[in-house]
Amino acid sequence: MRPFDYIRADAPATATKEAGAGARYIAGGTNLLDLMKLEVMTPERLVDITRLDLRDVERTPEGGLKIGALVTNSDLAAHPDVRRDYPVLSRALLSGATGQLRNKATAGGNLLQRTRCYYFYDPAQPCNKRDPGSGCGAIGGFNRIHAILGASEHCIATHPSDMAVAMRALDAEIEVEGADGAGRRIPIADLHRLPSDTPQDETTLAPGDLITAVILPPPAKNTFQAYRKVRDRASYAFALVSVACVLRMDGDRIGGVALAFGGLAHKPWRDPEVEATLTGESPSDDLFDKAADTLLREAQGQGGNDFKIPLARRTLKAVLREATQTEAAA
Amino acid sequence: MEITLDINGDRQVLDLDPRTSLLDALRHHLGLTGSKKGCDHGQCGACTILVNGRRINSCLTLAAMHEDDEITTIEGIGRPGHLAPLQEGFVRHDGFQCGYCTPGQIMSATAMIEEAREGWPSYVSPSLEGDIELSDEEIAERMSGNLCRCAAYTGIVQAIREAAETREAAE
Ligand SMILES: Cc1cc2nc3c(=O)[nH]c(=O)nc-3n(C[C@H](O)[C@H](O)[C@H](O)COP(=O)(O)OP(=O)(O)OC[C@H]3O[C@@H](n4cnc5c(N)ncnc54)[C@H](O)[C@@H]3O)c2cc1C
Ligand code: SF4
Ligand code: FES
Ligand code: FES
């Protein structure tokens, strides 16, 4: 690990003041320290934000939930309001990592965790994200875990978070405090970027921006919520494909639905056209196939991850059948 | 830099490089070698300790970040002659072969039993609300962060189930 200066912040304003060029915030440290040990990340200064008062989960005046950036993944998954009103979020959190890691991992750090692409993790390999301009080892290489949607010729990495996929389906907003002390809110849809020709820029945050909270809108009434994760092991593995679903029936028709996908792209993926295909229709396997056709209309395999295209279809259909209590076509 | 840590109830003042992981502080600077280093990347659980009663991987955190925290290691759980019930259970049920993963398993299980008592659900819990019954499936899911290279899993699960039941009966 490269040497760094260690600074402990006692208030958001001191944190943002200390976080100049070459600095990183450290929260749970479960992603940052892993990458620093491998010298994939080499910050010159670490600003420890764990003493900041950002550990509360509170009701918002609108009836939603404000989740402090330092709330651990364990505490958030077990929070009574989250379990009752946002079960998709509890399930997504519980599907991720392990008991030990969830006790450390924070809401802010989880959103900003970096890809698990093997070439990104190995400084001896080319990687445009770690070392812009060096090429992409995964294109034409091993790419079992890589993206089938929204990728570019410069990077085909996926975003690994489960939590962020559920938050995407729930239309969360991210509360940020900038280096100048000014606060703002970013819809989660606009937090993460697609790789385009600058895969090193993963989010729309500016250097020194501090995430202070995640805001959930008031819970949707009478919805079915589920997080289905498909992975190489029964537990303790990243998603190959995951689906977060919030669905409301209106009589025997689909009244409204939000669907977000993990494992498919450089960001939690959501496609309004998929939701439009389903809304107002009566559920059937044919309809679900149409939704999958829409989702995957521009999907592109890279060889090792071709299986994700049929897997995404089947996972989506399985979730929709469960949500609408529809039997599979014989 | 000078760092003060509270470990198993003792205050320890150490002069450490800021890069020192909590695991290395315990093993190399304090001679508390019960916590093991398997992967050093948060993947195996051999380094599991308790911070303020919660289980964490001590390899993926900096010692400097834990001033004022209450740290418990396997040495603080029980010693030869005064074993904790979980430690006795691991012996009785053959919950190990080489023993390398064992301190981490025991620290993890100690906290896991409390998590279940607080009603924390897991990914395999049928409902997110209500009491948790530590079935073998629940134990396996909740202990998935502790790998055992010798695959002593059968004995590990038996030892944990027994300790959880004893804990319940004691109420
Ligand atoms: C073995 C292993 C298995 C895992 N499996 C899964 C899995 O199945 N699913 C899953 O979703 N995740 C998984 N993870 C990843 C884990 O969820 C992340 O490491 C964790 O959520 C990161 O949170 P943290 O608080 O530890 O972040 P840190 O490591 O502290 O920080 C991560 C990044 O975010 C920045 N940051 C942190 N907080 C803030 C803030 N408030 N404002 C601005 N910037 C901030 C840091 O500067 C850093 O760049 C796994 C990790 C490991 C090691
Ligand atoms: S997919 Fe992205 S992260 Fe992986 S090697 Fe290519 S550029 Fe790097
Ligand atoms: S040594 Fe810490 S998890 Fe393996
Ligand atoms: S007993 Fe050998 S690794 Fe578990």
Side-chain angles (χ1 to χ4, degrees), chain B residues 85-100:
Chain B
L86 252 175
Q87 290 173 312
E88 283 175 351
F90 268 68
V91 175
R92 209 168 30 250
H93 292 283
D94 281 336
F96 52 87
Q97 286 178 36
C98 76
Y100 198 79

Side-chain angles (χ1 to χ4, degrees), chain A residues 73-78 83 87-99 102 162-163 227 229 231 235-236, chain B residues 119-125 127-128 141-142 144:
Chain A
N73 287 182
S74 298
D75 284 334
L76 188 56
R83 283 194 257 171
V88 64
L89 179 56
S90 273
R91 289 279 178 201
L93 284 160
L94 293 170
S95 79
T98 66
R102 292 192 296 269
D162 293 297
M163 180 196 80
Y227 187 73
K229 176 170 175 178
R231 46 186 160 178
S235 180
Y236 193 15
Chain B
W120 288 16
S122 84
Y123 190 60
V124 301
S125 304
S127 162
L128 290 174
E141 166 61 23
R142 288 164 190 265
S144 69

